[in-house]
Amino acid sequence: QLEETQPNDAVVRARNKELAHKYAKEAMAKVAATMDLNTLHTKGDGAPGDFMTALECYLKAVHKGHANAMVNVGDLFLEGQGVSKSSSVATGWYLKSAYQGNTNAQRKVEALRV
């Protein structure tokens, strides 16, 4: 009688982590090259699934203090791309960027106040 062997949880988690790291690294390189979803769409690379990947990459840049990434996160929420549409959440991201002196974010905050 042959005993079935199944990978243990630690092996599965390690493999999933490795795959996730590889995927994130590839996605980061792709998004970092443009940091603009409109450019991705223009090039034909911006399928709806890319919005979640973009959000993940933008959030990594946000944690490093990049004000433009904060604007990009706000844009995703404003348009409801890959996330629930929310102008109040978008405004919050724009304000974070505006406080760092990002004039684009300041304009977006003003436009949303009208």
Side-chain angles (χ1 to χ4, degrees):
Q1 208 178 45
L2 291 175
E3 190 176 308
E4 273 191 49
T5 59
Q6 295 192 5
N8 66 34
D9 289 342
V11 172
V12 171
R13 280 193 305 273
R15 180 67 180 142
N16 287 345
K17 186 176 180 180
E18 177 185 324
L19 289 172
H21 179 70
K22 179 182 176 190
Y23 181 76
K25 187 175 180 181
E26 290 170 359
M28 260 309 251
K30 182 178 181 179
V31 175
T34 61
M35 286 301 281
D36 184 340
L37 288 174
N38 291 327
T39 302
L40 286 176
H41 280 298
T42 301
K43 291 169 44 181
D45 294 336
D50 289 342
F51 293 115
M52 280 307 295
T53 302
L55 178 60
E56 292 170 16
C57 294
Y58 293 155
L59 291 174
K60 287 179 183 180
V62 164
H63 289 298
K64 294 180 180 180
H66 294 286
N68 287 333
M70 294 174 194
V71 172
N72 290 332
V73 172
D75 290 344
L76 290 176
F77 278 98
L78 187 64
E79 299 298 322
Q81 296 174 319
V83 294
S84 296
K85 188 173 184 174
S86 173
S87 61
S88 62
V89 172
T91 300
W93 283 105
Y94 296 149
L95 284 170
K96 288 179 185 194
S97 182
Y99 290 140
Q100 290 189 14
N102 186 301
T103 56
N104 183 31
Q106 292 167 357
R107 284 190 299 272
K108 288 179 182 257
V109 168
E110 288 303 315
L112 286 171
R113 286 187 180 164
V114 175

